[in-house]
Amino acid sequence: MANPQQFINNLKVSDKINPAVKFYTIKKSKSFVGNLFYYFVLLSLSFVFLYPLLYMVSKSLMQTWDVADATVRWVPHQLNFHNYGVAFTEMKYWQGLTNSTIISLGSALLQIVSCSLIGYGFARYRFPLYGLWFVLLIFTFLVPPQTIVVPLYMFFSDLGWINTHLPFIVPAAFGHGLQGALFILIFIQFYRRLPAVLEEAARIDGAGAFRTYWQIMFPLGRPAMITVFLFSIVWHWNDNFQPSLYLRLPPFYNLAQRMNGFYGKASMTADQMSTSVSSGAIGMAPTVMNQMMAGVVLSVIPILILYLFVQRYFVESIERAGIAGE
């Protein structure tokens, strides 16, 4: 049997060592609990944002009787890809995709150039009536676009721009358009954070104001450009209000307008079908929700693909552009 005194001495030695070990253990356990809580919150928020997408995909792959069956929640009895064919044909998908791409991509690229130049001017120069112009900029950001649609429509109509893409492209070239004031504010915030020594060095080398902007400051604005590009693309892509005003002929409709038209046509079809259903089968009333969900999925797929390619750069640009922080 071991000596009791030696056993007590060993306990005293272990007590001298244990505080560091205990601290490491507690720190490690806290780190584990923190990571567990972090991933729990992350998965919870991810489900909130992914739920609509999962719901759309699930409904788009269902047969009509699966949609009407209350016992079918997520997994249909049989996958039905025919819904996508119907939506693709009824929406004239390629024509709508072309129009949406012209409006969204053209406006986004022009807004990057114009809003960047205006934002740089506000961020680096103090010109006459600076305060007044800045207040007007904020005013254009605060005024709802619905309040000025009548004069805008009359103005574009006088110019002969109705049923063309010009009401979206031309204002974007001058720093206006959809959310143009917000994009200017993003560039103002970004350029204010850049060091002034860059411009001083350019002036010493003989560069003028515009050359300094175009060759030095504009290339450095890549983080803000990515942010503005994605925001502009998404907002123009999903916008249905302004296209419904300026694009009155079906060949010029974008995907959002075509989705509305498809929804109305599908709803009328469902109403006509429901009149032929006997009163004893109310629970199985015909529905075309599966086809409408297929159309919605087709409409958002291009944006999802774009985001998958640029999401890493987008997250970095959000941090550097100062939107989520300073």
Side-chain angles (χ1 to χ4, degrees):
M1 182 176 180
N3 188 354
Q5 186 61 36
Q6 183 179 0
F7 179 73
I8 294 174
N9 294 336
N10 291 337
L11 286 178
K12 292 181 178 179
V13 173
S14 63
D15 289 341
K16 296 178 181 179
I17 302 175
N18 275 343
V21 177
K22 288 180 180 178
F23 175 77
Y24 174 76
T25 305
I26 294 174
K27 184 178 179 181
K28 189 174 182 180
S29 64
K30 287 183 177 180
S31 177
F32 174 76
V33 174
N35 290 335
L36 185 63
F37 178 75
Y38 171 77
Y39 285 111
F40 172 76
V41 174
L42 185 62
L43 290 175
S44 301
L45 293 176
S46 299
F47 178 76
V48 171
F49 288 103
L50 290 176
Y51 177 84
L53 181 61
L54 296 176
Y55 180 85
M56 290 189 303
V57 174
S58 174
K59 294 297 182 182
S60 67
L61 295 174
M62 289 184 180
Q63 302 281 355
T64 302
W65 50 84
D66 286 335
V67 178
D69 190 353
T71 62
V72 179
R73 294 288 297 174
W74 291 100
V75 182
H77 293 105
Q78 183 180 358
L79 297 179
N80 181 24
F81 293 95
H82 177 67
N83 297 326
Y84 286 94
V86 174
F88 190 93
T89 303
E90 292 295 331
M91 293 172 60
K92 296 183 179 179
Y93 185 76
W94 289 122
Q95 192 177 62
L97 179 64
T98 301
N99 291 330
S100 292
T101 302
I102 292 174
I103 294 174
S104 302
L105 186 61
S107 299
L109 294 177
L110 290 173
Q111 282 183 323
I112 287 176
V113 178
S114 60
C115 294
S116 173
L117 178 60
I118 298 172
Y120 175 75
F122 274 107
R124 292 304 200 182
Y125 294 95
R126 291 297 181 269
F127 41 83
L129 301 178
Y130 175 90
L132 175 62
W133 291 114
F134 192 78
V135 169
L136 291 176
L137 172 65
I138 301 298
F139 182 74
T140 60
F141 174 66
L142 297 178
V143 172
Q146 293 82 359
T147 60
I148 57 175
V149 292
V150 174
L152 280 179
Y153 181 85
M154 297 176 62
F155 176 69
F156 293 144
S157 179
D158 292 339
L159 294 176
W161 290 0
I162 303 301
N163 291 318
T164 68
H165 299 136
L166 295 178
F168 310 94
I169 302 298
V170 175
F174 292 92
H176 193 55
L178 191 62
Q179 300 295 338
L182 175 61
F183 300 149
I184 293 174
L185 294 175
I186 291 176
F187 280 110
I188 291 175
Q189 174 69 12
F190 178 81
Y191 284 125
R192 280 178 176 173
R193 300 173 60 187
L194 294 180
V197 294
L198 297 173
E199 296 161 298
E200 294 173 0
R203 280 194 287 269
I204 292 174
D205 290 338
F210 183 78
R211 184 180 178 186
T212 300
Y213 159 75
W214 185 250
Q215 294 188 354
I216 298 177
M217 306 302 285
F218 182 74
L220 293 176
R222 179 183 173 187
M225 292 179 198
I226 297 175
T227 302
V228 169
F229 176 76
L230 285 180
F231 282 173
S232 180
I233 283 281
V234 172
W235 280 329
H236 280 94
W237 192 276
N238 297 329
D239 184 34
N240 182 56
F241 176 71
Q242 292 190 18
S244 64
L245 292 174
Y246 307 134
L247 304 178
R248 312 296 296 178
L249 297 179
F252 297 97
Y253 286 176
N254 63 358
L255 284 178
Q257 291 175 281
R258 293 173 187 274
M259 187 62 226
N260 279 347
F262 179 54
Y263 173 77
K265 184 176 181 180
S267 299
M268 292 178 59
T269 303
D271 292 339
Q272 293 172 359
M273 293 172 60
S274 62
T275 58
S276 61
V277 178
S278 62
S279 59
I282 296 177
M284 293 296 293
T287 178
V288 287
M289 181 184 292
N290 49 352
Q291 297 179 4
M292 290 186 289
M293 290 297 104
V296 173
V297 172
L298 289 175
S299 299
V300 302
I301 279 179
I303 296 297
L304 292 178
I305 294 176
L306 175 65
Y307 183 76
L308 288 177
F309 280 102
V310 300
Q311 60 89 16
R312 179 169 66 91
Y313 305 102
F314 177 65
V315 173
E316 294 177 356
S317 66
I318 287 291
E319 296 176 354
R320 296 181 183 180
I323 297 178
E326 300 177 354

